[in-house]
Amino acid sequence: MTLLAPPIGTAPAAAGIAAAAVGVSKIYGHGDTAVHALDEIDASFQSGRFTAIMGPSGSGKSTLMHCLAGLDTVSHGSILVGDTDLSTLSERELTLLRRDRIGFVFQSFNLVPTLTAMENITLPMDLAGRTPDQAWVDEVINTVGLDDRTSHRPNELSGGQQQRVAVSRALASQPEIVFADEPTGNLDSTTGAEILEFMRRAVREMDQTIVMVTHDPNAASYADRVVFLNDGKIVDEMFEPTPDTILDTMKALGN
Amino acid sequence: MLRLTIKNLLDKKIRFALTTLAVVVGVAMVVGVFAMTDSLRSSFSQLAEDISEATPLTVRTSQEVGREIDRDPVPAAVDEVVRSIEGVEDTVPGVAAFNVVITDGAGEAILPTGPPTLGFSWTPLQFFITDGAVPAGSGEFAADSSTAADNDLQIGSTYVISGPIEQVEFELVGIFNFGAPDKHTTLGQTMAAFEIGVAQEFFGLEDRYSSIGVLLDPGTDTAEVQGRIQEAIGRDYEAVTDEVIEEETTDDINEVIDVFNIILLVFAFIIVFVSAFIINNTFQIVVAQRIRELGLLRAIGATGSQVRNSVIFEALLVGLFSTITGLVLGRFLAGGMRWMLNQGGFSLPTGPLELQPRTVVWAVVVGMGVTLLSSIIPARRARTISPIAAIQSDQQLAGASLRRRLVIGGVVTGIGFLLLLVGLFGSLDTSATLSLVGFGAFLVFIGMNTLAPSFARPAALLIGRPIARILGTPGQIARGNAARTPRRTASTAAALMIGLALVGMAGVVGSSLTKSFLNTLDDAVQSDYFIRSDSGGFDPSVGFSEEVAAEIEALPEFDTVVAYRFAIGSMRIEGSNHDVFTADFELVESHMDADIITGSLSDADAAFAIALHEDSAEDLGVVVGDTLDATFPDNGTDTLTVVAVYRDATIFGNWLIDNDTWERHFSRREIGFASATITGFSDDLPEAEQARLQAGAAEAIAPLGQQFPGVKMESRVEFRQSQQDQLNSFLIVITVLLGLSLVIALIGIANTLGLAIFERTREIGLIRAVGMTRWQLALTIFGEAVIVAIFGAILGLSLGVVFGVAVVIAIPDSVINAISVPYLTLLVYLVIAGFAGMLAALLPAFRAGRLNILDAISHE
Ligand SMILES: Nc1ncnc2c1ncn2[C@@H]1O[C@H](COP(=O)(O)OP(=O)(O)O)[C@@H](O)[C@H]1O
Ligand SMILES: [Mg+2]
C-alpha cells in the first residue's frame, strides 16, 4: 500500500489524540465503477471526548469508522490508534488491537446468543485470557442499570437492554477508544436517550473516549463535537452542538 | 451485495456436493459390488460350461451325506464296466485331492491365504500345456501357469510336493492353463497335475478314481447311454449329465461369490443407511434456514403443498444426480475392486463389466429412494410453515413435541431390540436370523435417532464441560453452540453412532472370542505342541500329510501325538447330518480335556465308538453304553457305541469319533490338526527342568519344520500368540471395513458444521470484530465437532456393547463361552472419534476463518 499523505512515521502522535485518519481514501471497485467512499480524509479524535460523525446516508460514515477501528483497510493514507500505524499490522495484530484497545457497539446483533449478558460483557477479556477488573465492570454495569440482568441470555433481554449490554462490553475492558455505529438506530427514542445519556456519562465521569456514527441530529447533540461528512469528505465541524444547530448545518449541507 | 450473492451460491454448491457425495458413495458401492460379482458369475459359469461340456456324462459314487469334498471315490472296476457299455466311445477317469502343496525353489511352501492347494490327474480336456510337456511318468508334474509364474518355478527343476500322505520330490515338466488354451482362469488356488497312476499313488487312491468322464460314440443318444450305464453300475454309483455337473460347479462357485457378494453388500447398505441420516439432516437444516424465504412464498400466495413440493423437488434433483453419478462411479469401482483382488493374488477373469437391469434398479432404488425418504419429514415440516414466518424473525420449525418424541422413539427402539432378541435367540434358520437381526438393529438406530434430541442438550453440555475447561472461551462458545440445536446435534451424532455401534459390537464379539479361545487353551488343553497348516484358514478342508505326525512321534523328545480331522455335515444320525470331529481315542485324554461327565475315551473299543456333548446326548436320549447308527459320505453305516458324554464343546464340537472310523468311511487322508506332548513333561516339575525339556523339544522339532515348510509346529506359548494374532488381524479387517461408514458420518459432520457456520455468519463476524483470532475461531469449531463426535461415539459404543453382548450370548458355547468387553479398545475408539470429528471440522474451520468480518456483520 502506498502512502500518498505526508509520512507521519511512527513518531508518537500529539498528546491526547486517541485515533487519527491521515489523508485516508477508500475506493471500492476500479475503473468506471469505482466508488470513492472516503476521499483524502484528515481527522483526529481526542481522548476523553465524545465525538459524533454525521452525514447523509452513503456519505462514508460507516466506512470511516470501519477503517479507524481496524475492521477494514484503507486505499491510501494511514490510520493511527494511539501511536500505532494500523497499516503496519498483520491480520492477527489487528485482531489483538481490536480485542485489547478498542471497544465496539453495532446498530444491531451485538451479542453472542449462547453467552449470558455477563459473559458477553467480559468476552474480549476472556478471549485475551485476561482477568477483568471486577470493580470497574461492576461500576459499568451499575451505571448502565443492568445489575439484575447479568445472568440472562440475549433472547431474554429487550432491545434496549441488549444495547446496554453491548455498551457495557465496549467499556468493560477500558479500551483506548470506543466506536459505535448507529447504536440507537433500532431503539425507540426514550430507550435511545437512556443509552446516549449513559455514553455521555461514561465520557464525562469515567474519562472514556467514544466515536459515534449517526444520522440522527438528536443523537449527535449528546456529543462534545460533531464532524460532518458528505461524499467521503469532511465538510464541517461543530463543538458543543444542540439538535437545532446540527439541523441547521445539515440543511445547509443539503443545499 | 453481489459478492454476498455469489458467496451464497458457492455455499450452496459445496452443500450440494457434500450432500450428494454421501449418496453417491452408497450408490457406487452397491453398483460396484453387483457389477463385479455379476461379471465373476458369468465368467465362471461360462468356464464351468466349457469344462463340463467336454464329457457328456460323468460316473461317480452316489452320495447322501456330506460335502462334495468327501464324496467317495469309484473303484477302478467300475471304469471297466462303463467302458464296455454300448455307445461309450471312451472314458476319462481322473483323481483329485486337496492339500497338495508345492514347495518353491527357496524351500517355502506355496500356500495362498484362503484358496485351496489342489492336485489332479492330468486331463487334456481341462489342462492346456503352454510350456514343456504333459507329465507322463513317475517323478513328473505340471503346474498351472500363474502359480509357476508367481513363484518362479522352472521347467527341469525338482520340487518337493507335500501330499495327503507323504512328501515326495517331483520334476516340473510342464506348465498349463486351466480352462482354455490361451487363457488361465483361477480364484487363486494352486494346481499340480500328475500322470494318473502317479496321482493315484500319491493321493492314496490306488485302484480308485474320484470320477470318470464318459465320451460317447458319435450319433448316440445321451439319455439312452446314461440309462444303460446306470443299470450296469447299480445304485451305489451314478451317471450324471454335463448339465448336472455344470449346475453343481456353478452352484459351488456361486456359493463362494454369494458370500462375498453378501458381505460387500452389507457394507454397502450400512453406508447407504448412514448416508440417509446425513441427507435427512441436511434437508432439515436447509428447510430451517429457508424458513423466512418459504414463509414469504406462503405470504404471497404459495400453498403449503407447493412449498412442500419445492423441498421434494430439491431432493429429487439430489437423488437423480447421485444415482447417475453413482452408476458411473460404481462401474469404475467394480473394475477397481477386481484389480485390487488380482493384485492380492487372485487371477479373476477380466470379462466385461456390465450393468444388469437389476443393478440399475438397485441404484435407482437406493439413490432416489434414500434421498426422497430422507426428505419426507423435512418436506412435511416445510408445509406447516406459516406466512407469519416471513415477518417474525425467530420462528422455529414445528417438530414432534418432546413427549411424542420420547414415546415414538422409545417404542421404535423397543420393537427393534425385541426383533433383535427374537432373531438371536429364536433358533431360526440363518437367513431369518440375519434379516431379523438386521431389521432390529435398523429400528434401534432409527429409534435412538428419535430419542437422542431429547437428551442431546444436557449431553452436549456435559461433554462440553471438560472441553470448555481446556479450550477456555472458544470451548465455552463451542459448548453453547452444540447445545443450542439439540435436534441437529443429535442427528449428526446419530450418523456416527451407527458406525461405532458396529465397530463396538465387533470389538466385543472379537474380544469374547479371543477370551474363549484362551480360556479353553489354558483350562482344557494339556498338550505341549500344536501342529497346523501354515495357510492360516480355519477351513476344515485345510490339512497336511500324516507323515508329519509320524515323524514327530518318532522323536525321543516327544511322547505322544494325536491327529484330528474335521468334516462338515458328514455324519447322519437319526435323519440329521452333523459336523464331526475325529481324534485318537486312546491318547486324546492326555492331550485335551473335554470335561467328560460319564464314560471314558481311552478304555473304549475305539474303532466303533462315539463320544458326544451332553446336549446331543440329551436330544437323542442316549447314555454311555447305548448305540447309535451313523451313516457317512461313503454311504456306509456303522453301529457306534456311546463311550463318553462330555460337557465342554469348545474343543470337539458336539460329535467325536475315532480316526479309525474316519479311515473306514472317508477317502481324505490328510490330517487337519495335531497335538503332541513332550516326553517327561509335567507342570509339577521344577521350572528349570520344564524349561530344559521345552528347549530340547524345540531343538528336536526344528529340522522337521524345515522338512515340512507348509506346516507350523508351535509350542504352547507360540501357538497362543499366533492364534491371538490371527484373530486380531481378522478383527482389524472387519473393523476397518465397518469403519468406512465413519468416513460418511464425517462428511455429515462437515456438512452440518458448514451449514451452521453459514447460519451464524453474523455471529462470527461480531465475535471476530471484538477480538477473536482466527485460531480461536477454529478452536470453537473444532470444539463443537468434538462434542458432537463424542456424543455420537458414546451413543454408538454403548449400543455396540449391548449388541455385542447379545450376539455373544446367542452364539453357541462351543464357539464363544466367555463375555469380554474390551474397555481399553472402546476408549481408543472414543478418542479416535473425537479426532475424526476435528478432521471433519478442518474445512468448515478454514472457511469460517476466511469470512470477511465486514461482510459477515452485514450478512442477512
Ligand atoms: N463493500 C462495498 N462495496 C462497494 N461499495 C461500498 C461498499 N461498502 C460501502 N460502499 C459504498 O461506499 C459509500 C459509503 O458507504 P457507507 O460508509 O456505508 O455510508 P454511510 O454509513 O454513511 O451510509 C456508499 O456509496 C456505498 O455504496
Ligand atoms: Mg452506515
Side-chain angles (χ1 to χ4, degrees):
Chain A
M1 188 179 299
T2 32
L3 290 176
L4 293 187
I8 295 194
T10 49
I17 301 297
V22 184
V24 165
S25 295
K26 175 76 188 178
I27 303 161
Y28 288 113
H30 18 227
D32 292 346
T33 58
V35 176
H36 285 255
L38 298 177
D39 195 0
E40 299 266 344
I41 295 239
D42 287 296
S44 56
F45 302 91
Q46 266 183 288
S47 291
R49 300 291 286 273
F50 188 177
T51 312
I53 301 176
M54 280 216 69
S57 184
S59 57
K61 307 183 292 292
S62 294
T63 306
L64 177 60
M65 193 203 97
H66 292 154
C67 290
L68 285 167
L71 285 169
D72 208 351
T73 52
V74 299
S75 305
H76 303 290
S78 56
I79 301 285
L80 296 171
V81 170
D83 48 14
T84 311
D85 182 349
L86 298 196
S87 63
T88 65
L89 300 185
S90 66
E91 197 280 336
R92 182 181 157 76
E93 287 166 331
L94 277 175
T95 303
L96 301 186
L97 173 107
R98 289 197 304 270
R99 186 184 77 190
D100 299 332
R101 295 171 59 186
I102 294 176
F104 283 102
V105 184
F106 297 105
Q107 180 172 351
S108 64
F109 203 83
N110 263 303
L111 306 179
V112 179
T114 48
L115 300 180
T116 63
M118 182 54 103
E119 285 165 347
N120 265 292
I121 290 169
T122 57
L123 180 59
M125 287 167 283
D126 290 340
L127 285 172
R130 260 193 292 140
T131 328
D133 176 348
Q134 202 55 50
W136 169 258
V137 172
D138 287 346
E139 189 183 340
V140 169
I141 290 170
N142 191 18
T143 317
V144 94
L146 270 175
D147 307 73
D148 52 342
R149 295 260 157 221
T150 50
S151 59
H152 288 63
R153 285 180 204 281
N155 60 2
E156 299 160 346
L157 299 174
S158 71
Q161 285 167 336
Q162 288 185 24
Q163 266 335 54
R164 281 192 238 174
V165 174
V167 175
S168 303
R169 180 196 56 217
L171 294 171
S173 57
Q174 292 180 280
E176 292 170 29
I177 187 164
V178 171
F179 292 104
D181 191 352
E182 313 240 17
T184 58
N186 274 3
L187 303 177
D188 62 77
S189 55
T190 328
T191 320
E194 275 169 32
I195 298 282
L196 290 162
E197 184 53 41
F198 169 65
M199 288 169 71
R200 179 154 68 184
R201 279 176 57 202
V203 173
R204 303 246 162 103
E205 295 166 21
M206 301 170 172
D207 205 26
Q208 294 296 291
T209 309
I210 299 182
V211 175
M212 174 180 76
V213 166
T214 182
H215 63 263
D216 172 11
N218 222 358
S221 69
Y222 284 79
D224 302 319
R225 168 193 175 210
V226 183
V227 174
F228 291 91
L229 269 185
N230 201 5
D231 277 343
K233 293 192 181 67
I234 293 183
V235 290
D236 205 346
E237 158 172 59
M238 176 187 296
F239 292 88
E240 306 302 329
T242 67
D244 293 337
T245 54
I246 295 172
L247 212 56
D248 290 343
T249 310
M250 291 286 282
K251 276 184 190 145
L253 285 179
N255 295 339
Chain B
M1 203 49 228
L2 188 71
R3 249 165 72 201
L4 270 180
T5 317
I6 292 171
K7 262 198 183 155
N8 206 331
L9 213 73
L10 200 73
D11 262 65
K12 287 206 173 132
K13 229 168 37 189
I14 289 175
R15 186 186 82 201
F16 188 73
L18 281 172
T19 317
T20 46
L21 184 62
V23 201
V24 167
V25 174
V27 174
M29 284 279 292
V30 173
V31 170
V33 171
F34 275 128
M36 187 189 74
T37 49
D38 281 346
S39 131
L40 283 188
R41 241 185 272 272
S42 69
S43 303
F44 277 111
S45 67
Q46 186 60 48
L47 185 68
E49 192 185 327
D50 291 350
I51 290 170
S52 53
E53 264 176 358
T55 49
L57 290 172
T58 299
V59 172
R60 61 187 187 184
T61 309
S62 319
Q63 187 186 28
E64 285 172 24
V65 182
R67 299 290 173 105
E68 184 61 34
I69 181 178
D70 287 318
R71 185 185 289 277
D72 218 42
V74 187
V78 173
D79 182 45
E80 298 302 325
V81 173
V82 175
R83 213 180 268 274
S84 66
I85 286 168
E86 190 196 334
V88 173
E89 186 191 50
D90 198 5
T91 61
V92 190
V95 290
F98 280 78
N99 300 304
V100 175
V101 183
I102 308 168
T103 309
D104 70 12
E108 299 283 336
I110 302 172
L111 280 174
T113 332
T117 48
L118 305 174
F120 296 96
S121 57
W122 178 267
T123 161
L125 300 177
Q126 296 172 12
F127 301 147
F128 303 90
I129 286 287
T130 59
D131 202 1
V134 170
S138 62
E140 292 184 0
F141 85 110
D144 73 89
S145 55
S146 65
T147 301
D150 294 348
N151 299 283
D152 199 24
L153 303 182
Q154 302 292 338
I155 289 179
S157 296
T158 305
Y159 297 95
V160 172
I161 300 180
S162 168
I165 297 172
E166 56 180 352
Q167 204 162 267
V168 178
E169 280 197 351
F170 289 92
E171 183 193 340
L172 181 67
V173 296
I175 291 171
F176 63 87
N177 279 346
F178 175 65
D182 50 350
K183 197 160 153 290
H184 180 57
T185 305
T186 160
L187 278 166
Q189 74 271 30
T190 69
M191 292 190 272
F194 310 84
E195 186 274 322
I196 187 154
V198 176
Q200 281 174 309
E201 189 190 339
F202 188 39
F203 302 162
L205 294 170
E206 288 98 337
D207 296 323
R208 288 174 293 173
Y209 300 122
S210 300
S211 66
I212 302 166
V214 181
L215 300 171
L216 305 181
D217 286 331
T220 44
D221 181 60
T222 310
E224 239 168 66
V225 181
Q226 185 185 12
R228 280 201 286 273
I229 294 176
Q230 191 62 64
E231 206 170 307
I233 57 181
R235 281 191 334 125
D236 285 349
Y237 307 101
E238 59 186 11
V240 292
T241 59
D242 58 345
E243 284 96 5
V244 173
I245 298 283
E246 184 196 328
E247 202 182 305
E248 285 175 4
T249 317
T250 314
D251 284 352
D252 282 353
I253 292 169
N254 280 350
E255 203 175 301
V256 177
I257 297 179
D258 279 344
V259 171
F260 202 52
N261 193 17
I262 287 173
I263 293 175
L264 290 176
L265 275 183
V266 165
F267 289 118
F269 279 109
I270 291 172
I271 286 184
V272 168
F273 186 49
V274 175
S275 310
F277 271 75
I278 288 163
I279 299 160
N280 173 269
N281 204 17
T282 309
F283 283 128
Q284 302 258 28
I285 301 173
V286 169
V287 169
Q289 279 180 352
R290 285 173 56 197
I291 193 159
R292 271 201 196 201
E293 177 192 331
L294 297 176
L296 184 70
L297 281 176
R298 294 279 282 121
I300 60 173
T303 65
S305 337
Q306 278 174 323
V307 169
R308 180 196 60 203
N309 291 346
S310 80
V311 174
I312 292 183
F313 184 67
E314 184 172 338
L316 240 137
L317 279 184
V318 170
L320 195 70
F321 180 80
S322 310
T323 304
I324 293 168
T325 319
L327 269 170
V328 175
L329 276 184
R331 224 189 137 277
F332 283 110
L333 190 68
M337 284 198 268
R338 198 166 62 181
W339 181 82
M340 257 163 52
L341 286 171
N342 280 341
Q343 294 304 302
F346 290 85
S347 178
L348 301 177
T350 45
L353 289 168
E354 320 157 7
L355 297 181
Q356 293 198 359
R358 187 255 280 109
T359 311
V360 179
V361 169
W362 268 109
V364 173
V365 167
V366 167
M368 301 297 286
V370 163
T371 345
L372 284 177
L373 270 180
S374 316
S375 74
I376 284 181
I377 295 174
R380 283 188 44 190
R381 287 223 178 110
R383 202 196 139 116
T384 65
I385 292 173
S386 68
I388 302 293
I391 332 165
Q392 287 179 344
S393 54
D394 284 329
Q395 229 226 357
Q396 287 292 316
L397 273 181
S401 72
L402 199 67
R403 193 121 155 249
R404 242 180 82 196
R405 208 167 244 291
L406 280 174
V407 172
I408 296 174
V411 168
V412 173
T413 311
I415 294 176
F417 270 117
L418 207 71
L419 290 183
L420 203 77
L421 293 182
V422 171
L424 286 177
F425 298 101
S427 53
L428 304 157
D429 65 39
T430 316
S431 69
T433 304
L434 281 182
S435 30
L436 271 181
V437 169
F439 191 61
F442 175 82
L443 285 184
V444 170
F445 287 135
I446 303 252
M448 285 301 287
N449 186 40
T450 317
L451 282 176
S454 43
F455 55 88
R457 201 181 130 75
L461 289 176
L462 194 72
I463 297 166
R465 188 164 295 162
I467 289 170
R469 192 156 303 151
I470 296 166
L471 298 183
T473 309
Q476 201 184 339
I477 294 175
R479 183 171 171 236
N481 283 344
R484 81 207 254 188
T485 48
R487 196 178 297 158
R488 193 181 298 174
T489 298
S491 44
T492 311
L496 200 71
M497 164 184 85
I498 299 165
L500 280 168
L502 298 172
V503 168
M505 180 179 80
V508 171
V509 174
S511 148
S512 302
L513 188 65
T514 309
K515 190 172 166 206
S516 304
F517 171 77
L518 294 180
N519 279 351
T520 303
L521 186 61
D522 292 343
D523 300 344
V525 178
Q526 284 107 39
S527 40
D528 309 307
Y529 259 81
F530 303 89
I531 300 100
R532 61 180 176 92
S533 162
D534 197 13
S535 77
F538 289 107
D539 191 327
S541 64
V542 168
F544 50 91
S545 78
E546 295 175 298
E547 202 184 1
V548 178
E551 293 264 2
I552 295 174
E553 195 147 30
L555 294 171
E557 287 81 359
F558 286 87
D559 190 7
T560 55
V561 179
V562 176
Y564 308 89
R565 294 183 174 108
F566 177 58
I568 294 175
S570 296
M571 179 170 69
R572 176 176 294 176
I573 292 178
E574 295 192 359
S576 42
N577 296 343
H578 303 287
D579 300 350
V580 62
F581 251 91
T582 78
D584 298 313
F585 275 20
E586 197 191 326
L587 298 169
V588 71
E589 274 181 284
S590 60
H591 286 238
M592 306 279 168
D593 175 11
D595 199 359
I596 293 176
I597 307 166
T598 50
S600 148
L601 294 172
S602 52
D603 298 344
D605 172 14
F608 289 91
I610 184 166
L612 30 90
H613 185 251
E614 52 177 340
D615 291 350
S616 304
E618 198 184 326
D619 287 348
L620 293 174
V622 294
V623 293
V624 169
D626 291 347
T627 57
L628 289 169
D629 286 340
T631 308
F632 294 98
D634 65 342
N635 304 331
T637 301
D638 274 349
T639 301
L640 304 176
T641 306
V642 176
V643 299
V645 174
Y646 51 84
R647 190 172 285 133
D648 183 352
T650 44
I651 304 176
F652 302 127
N654 284 15
W655 312 87
L656 181 68
I657 57 171
D658 188 81
N659 276 319
D660 283 350
T661 312
W662 172 282
E663 280 162 25
R664 278 201 306 279
H665 299 290
F666 290 78
S667 57
R668 236 187 326 142
R669 279 290 158 275
E670 60 271 29
I671 54 183
F673 188 77
S675 62
T677 52
I678 297 175
T679 311
F681 190 88
S682 150
D683 289 341
D684 305 332
L685 292 175
E687 273 189 30
E689 183 59 13
Q690 286 188 20
R692 195 187 63 79
L693 286 172
Q694 279 166 339
E699 199 178 326
I701 209 168
L704 287 182
Q706 300 275 316
Q707 192 185 331
F708 299 100
V711 184
K712 273 269 183 241
M713 303 163 195
E714 294 166 319
S715 69
R716 176 179 278 269
V717 176
E718 290 163 345
F719 181 64
R720 189 190 170 95
Q721 191 59 49
S722 71
Q723 295 302 297
Q724 227 175 323
D725 289 350
Q726 225 173 73
L727 283 171
N728 279 347
S729 51
F730 179 65
L731 198 63
I732 288 173
V733 171
I734 299 266
T735 307
V736 165
L737 277 172
L738 291 172
L740 280 182
S741 68
L742 295 186
V743 176
I744 304 292
L746 292 187
I747 295 178
I749 294 183
N751 210 354
T752 315
L753 279 177
L755 290 168
I757 284 162
F758 180 72
E759 216 167 62
R760 300 178 196 145
T761 303
R762 281 176 64 169
E763 200 175 316
I764 290 169
L766 167 78
I767 215 163
R768 292 269 292 128
V770 301
M772 180 179 262
T773 62
R774 277 187 182 155
W775 174 237
Q776 285 175 317
L777 179 60
L779 283 183
T780 308
I781 293 159
F782 285 157
E784 186 177 351
V786 170
I787 292 171
V788 173
I790 299 263
F791 179 48
I794 289 176
L795 280 180
L797 291 175
S798 317
L799 272 185
V801 170
V802 175
F803 287 175
V805 169
V807 168
V808 167
I809 295 176
I811 289 177
D813 270 1
S814 57
V815 182
I816 300 187
N817 63 1
I819 295 177
S820 158
V821 178
Y823 293 104
L824 198 69
T825 314
L826 297 183
L827 196 70
V828 171
Y829 292 158
L830 195 68
V831 172
I832 291 177
F835 277 105
M838 276 175 62
L839 199 69
L842 267 183
L843 187 67
F846 178 72
R847 274 156 50 81
R850 293 283 302 274
L851 279 179
N852 179 303
I853 300 175
L854 283 176
D855 290 347
I857 292 173
S858 57
H859 179 86
E860 276 302 330

